[in-house]
């Protein structure tokens, strides 16, 4: 049975938002799942958006953008991270945008669906403007929904994590903070670009990731530590890390988690770095979405989605970019 069959369809609304928005009410949470589409760059772009039960259209709520990895989908990211459940618990909006899929016969199988994240991808070669799409999506959603514009955040997994870091560079006038899971910074971005402003960021990497090498890929991805250094430099952070070995919370799970916290950046920014030791190319606390021999272990010692919201929740855009 397909995942969408688990949703009970209570009602349908049509809202003019450069396309159609379909809203479904979740039986399990009481919230509403928007399946929307819009035209951008000559393409039909789609996304999912979860509104918690507390959303009343009057009180502005924070909004988290959550980006899927290579080959996945908006729905796949929702099931992987369970960010809709976290949004219901903590009263914020979460959006799962969907990348493009290129099928022109020149793209290797499995590589056609991903984000133009600042390195050599089919989407980059095709000139897909995913950053522009996300910027426009933010504008349209904040126009139609009641969103706290000073509390918009971005997170993602794998290729979506690399893209999240590109957005932290390019859209830091709209995004208050970012969190990247199992994805380093693209080396071409690091060499050519700097954030529009200092921005707090959380990085979560696995030291035994078989896909996103912890030590980087020359010409494509920085190493985990070089990624941290990029954000320290661009936030003017010179203080040494405060390091904590997190306690075991899941018996039988041999993964461990080390936390390095860097504070004292410009405008109060900080860089948070989680090293998940012994885990794979997986979302901590998420699903084992592929065999362990292929992607490595899922760590159950922390819940990445809860950790990320805890990081985001008190960060706002600087006064100069407050709501208009």
């Amino acid at each position: 049975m397909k995942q969408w069959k688990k949703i009970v369809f209570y009602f349908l609304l049509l809202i003019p938002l450069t396309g159609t928005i379909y809203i479904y009410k979740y039986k399990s949470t009481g919230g509403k799942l928007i399946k929307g589409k819009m035209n951008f760059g000559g393409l039909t772009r789609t996304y999912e958006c979860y509104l918690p039960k507390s959303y009343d259209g009057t009180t502005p709520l924070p909004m988290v953008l959550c980006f899927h990895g290579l080959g996945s989908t908006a729905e796949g990211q929702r099931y992987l991270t369970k960010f809709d459940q976290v949004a219901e618990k903590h009263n914020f909006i979460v959006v799962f945008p969907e990348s493009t899929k290129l099928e022109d016969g020149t793209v290797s199988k499995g590589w056609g669906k991903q984000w133009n994240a600042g390195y050599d991808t089919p989407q980059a070669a095709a000139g897909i403007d995913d950053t522009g799409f996300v910027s426009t999506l933010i504008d349209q959603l904040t126009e139609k929904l009641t969103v706290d514009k000073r509390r918009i955040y971005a997170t993602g997994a794998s290729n979506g994590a690399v893209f999240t870091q590109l957005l932290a560079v390019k859209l830091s006038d709209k995004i208050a903070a970012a969190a990247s899971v199992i994805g380093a910074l693209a080396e071409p971005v690091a060499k050519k670009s700097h954030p529009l402003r200092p921005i707090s960021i959380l990085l979560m990497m696995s030291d035994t990731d078989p896909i996103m090498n912890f030590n980087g890929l020359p010409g494509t991805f920085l190493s985990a530590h070089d990624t941290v250094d990029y954000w320290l430099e661009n936030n003017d952070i010179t203080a040494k890390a405060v390091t904590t070995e997190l306690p075991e919370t899941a018996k039988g799970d041999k993964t461990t988690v080390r936390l390095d916290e860097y504070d004292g950046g410009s405008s109060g920014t900080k860089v948070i770095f989680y090293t998940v030791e012994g885990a794979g190319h997986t979302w901590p606390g998420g699903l084992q979405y592929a065999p362990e021999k292929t992607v490595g272990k899922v760590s159950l010692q922390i819940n990445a989605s809860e950790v990320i919201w805890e990081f985001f929740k008190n960060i706002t855009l600087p006064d100069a970019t407050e709501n208009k």
Side-chain angles (χ1 to χ4, degrees):
M1 179 183 293
K2 293 184 178 180
Q3 300 276 25
W4 60 265
K5 289 185 178 178
K6 297 180 181 178
I7 298 172
V8 176
F9 300 100
Y10 281 90
F11 54 86
L12 169 66
L13 294 178
L14 301 180
I15 302 176
L17 186 59
T18 319
T20 302
I21 289 182
Y22 301 92
I23 300 184
Y24 309 99
K25 188 172 182 180
Y26 269 179
K27 183 177 181 180
S28 59
T29 63
K32 297 173 184 177
L33 180 67
I34 296 173
K35 294 191 175 185
K37 61 183 179 180
M38 57 179 279
N39 295 319
F40 180 83
L43 300 171
T44 298
R45 304 300 302 264
T46 61
Y47 61 91
E48 292 188 352
C49 174
Y50 181 77
L51 302 177
K53 187 166 53 177
S54 63
Y55 178 79
D56 59 11
T58 301
T59 304
L61 295 185
M63 183 169 74
V64 173
L65 302 163
C66 189
F67 298 94
H68 66 77
L70 184 151
S72 188
T73 63
E75 182 184 53
Q77 183 71 355
R78 174 163 53 86
Y79 279 99
L80 174 70
T81 65
K82 299 181 177 65
F83 241 115
D84 54 335
Q85 296 178 22
V86 179
E88 182 63 38
K89 179 179 176 181
H90 297 290
N91 300 316
F92 63 88
I93 298 165
V94 60
V95 182
F96 303 93
E98 188 137 340
S99 68
T100 57
K101 184 175 183 179
L102 302 181
E103 297 180 297
D104 61 1
T106 65
V107 179
S108 298
K109 184 177 180 181
W111 286 78
K113 190 172 184 61
Q114 59 180 300
W115 300 99
N116 182 353
Y119 58 99
D120 186 16
T121 63
Q123 279 69 11
I128 302 296
D129 183 11
D130 281 324
T131 301
F133 160 57
V134 172
S135 181
T136 301
L137 179 61
I138 291 172
D139 291 344
Q140 292 197 1
L141 289 176
T142 54
E143 179 182 351
K144 297 298 181 181
L145 300 174
T146 308
V147 176
D148 184 343
K149 294 181 183 179
R150 292 188 63 199
R151 299 178 69 198
I152 297 173
Y153 312 101
T155 187
S158 191
N159 168 254
V162 182
F163 183 51
T164 291
Q165 293 191 57
L166 176 64
L167 296 178
V169 172
K170 299 293 187 181
L171 294 184
S172 56
D173 58 333
K174 295 183 178 182
I175 293 171
S180 171
V181 181
I182 54 172
L185 181 65
E187 187 172 315
V189 175
K191 288 183 174 180
K192 298 178 182 179
S193 303
H194 299 280
L196 300 175
R197 64 169 183 88
I199 180 171
S200 291
I201 190 164
L202 181 152
L203 306 164
M204 192 175 291
M205 299 282 284
S206 302
D207 67 344
T208 53
D209 188 328
I211 296 173
M212 179 65 68
N213 194 304
F214 194 78
N215 296 315
L217 180 63
T220 304
F221 304 118
L222 298 185
S223 69
H225 290 296
D226 286 345
T227 297
V228 171
D229 287 344
Y230 171 90
W231 291 108
L232 292 176
E233 179 180 350
N234 282 279
N235 284 317
D236 297 319
I237 297 175
T238 57
K240 292 184 178 180
V242 176
T243 300
T244 306
E245 299 290 340
L246 300 189
E248 180 185 48
T249 60
K251 291 184 178 181
D253 179 355
K254 295 183 180 180
T255 64
T256 58
V257 182
R258 186 178 72 250
L259 167 61
D260 294 310
E261 300 177 88
Y262 301 86
D263 289 313
S266 297
S267 303
T269 53
K270 53 190 173 182
V271 174
I272 306 298
F273 179 39
Y274 286 87
T275 303
V276 187
E277 299 169 336
H281 196 67
T282 52
W283 186 277
L287 299 175
Q288 184 73 53
Y289 64 92
E292 187 176 309
K293 65 180 181 180
T294 302
V295 299
K297 297 179 181 178
V298 174
S299 175
L300 301 178
Q301 301 296 352
I302 58 172
N303 182 316
S305 300
E306 288 281 1
V307 167
I308 288 168
W309 175 247
E310 185 66 23
F311 169 70
F312 283 159
K313 68 179 185 180
N314 293 319
I315 300 174
T316 61
L317 281 172
D319 290 342
T321 53
E322 66 184 43
N323 294 2
K324 295 181 179 179

